[in-house]
Amino acid sequence: MALGAPLTRHWPLFGLRVRTPILELRYPDDELVAALADLAAHGIHDPTTMPFGVPWTDAHPGDLERNSLQHYWECRGSWTAASWRAQFAVLVDGQPVGVQGLWADDFPALGKFESGSWLGRAYQGQGLGTEMRAAMLHLAFAGLGAALAVTSAWEDNAASLAVTERSGYEPNGEDLRLRRGVPTRLLLFRLERPRWEQRRRHDIEILGLEECRTMFTGPKSTDG
């Protein structure tokens, strides 16, 4: 039996993969979590800007890596079908290049989820943001039967806004929130299942979902 087999048997998310012709989303084990922390420490954005709602990249070196590990562990430890936070490592040719996350509360009842992502600076501007978003949407809509995707971005985050537009989202209003203590406009977007269906791709593969499906959607119904 492979070394990681018992962990995957008890925590089947470790076996979940989403593959496109360009990249793979993989639920990260601790070795991959550490690699993602190192990648984040090498830089995600210009320090004079802040693309995230929570300014976690403002942490000092060393603290940033430890905080990252704690975040992934917290997402793991607090997971329930009623409230889950899935952070996937994005791999290109087996190398981690960023993170694509999706999260939801009451997903079995609402079918609604939110997402966010980041890429290491060395991997930006290569179309990977759009590709990893497509993989994530395929997992949610085709794999989990989602009804609605929502996302947001600061008004000056041109890269994120471009990916959102290319992915088919529609404007859904705006909000005013503090960013580093400064009121800043947050733009909101939504993508309903029928609109995603019109654009869905057929070159994306999901592996290992059946083993962990109920972790996202709750127990199978025994009705009928």
Side-chain angles (χ1 to χ4, degrees):
M1 182 179 290
L3 182 62
L7 274 178
T8 302
R9 177 159 50 89
H10 296 307
W11 193 255
L13 287 169
F14 287 133
L16 183 56
R17 309 279 191 273
V18 185
R19 291 176 179 163
T20 83
I22 296 173
L23 54 76
E24 175 182 274
L25 304 187
R26 180 186 303 176
Y27 186 85
D29 58 17
D30 280 356
E31 182 177 358
L32 195 45
V33 161
L36 293 172
D38 290 338
L39 178 64
H42 280 89
I44 298 173
H45 58 86
D46 185 327
T48 64
T49 69
M50 176 48 64
F52 305 117
V54 176
W56 60 276
T57 48
D58 281 347
H60 295 297
D63 290 339
L64 188 151
E65 292 92 326
R66 283 189 292 273
N67 293 347
S68 294
L69 266 62
Q70 287 182 295
H71 172 68
Y72 292 109
W73 292 336
E74 181 182 11
C75 290
R76 232 186 261 167
S78 63
W79 189 294
T80 68
S83 181
W84 45 261
R85 307 288 182 269
Q87 300 290 345
F88 289 93
V90 181
L91 306 179
V92 175
D93 296 329
Q95 292 295 117
V97 300
V99 168
Q100 175 66 65
L102 68 157
W103 53 91
D105 293 313
D106 299 314
F107 182 81
L110 299 177
K112 173 186 172 183
F113 68 96
E114 189 169 353
S115 65
S117 62
W118 60 264
L119 281 166
R121 294 189 75 176
Y123 305 101
Q124 296 173 14
Q126 303 173 30
L128 297 177
T130 300
E131 188 75 1
M132 58 204 250
R133 183 86 65 100
M136 179 274 298
L137 291 173
H138 191 86
L139 170 63
F141 284 117
L144 299 175
L148 174 65
V150 297
T151 193
S152 61
W154 298 114
E155 61 181 338
D156 57 1
N157 191 344
S160 179
L161 292 171
V163 169
T164 296
E165 182 179 2
R166 285 195 293 268
S167 300
Y169 289 76
E170 298 178 292
N172 191 36
E174 60 183 63
D175 199 359
L176 188 66
R177 299 186 188 178
L178 290 177
R179 178 175 59 168
R180 287 176 170 168
V182 178
T184 308
R185 202 162 59 112
L186 185 71
L187 305 182
L188 312 177
F189 301 89
R190 63 188 284 128
L191 175 62
E192 296 186 8
R193 183 181 186 89
R195 184 172 172 85
W196 173 81
E197 289 279 7
Q198 295 172 2
R199 313 166 63 94
R200 72 176 295 169
R201 289 171 46 177
H202 299 280
D203 59 350
I204 300 177
E205 180 183 20
I206 304 173
L207 305 172
L209 178 58
E210 291 311 309
E211 292 80 357
C212 60
R213 178 183 296 278
T214 58
M215 295 181 70
F216 294 93
T217 61
K220 294 180 180 178
S221 173
T222 57
D223 295 343

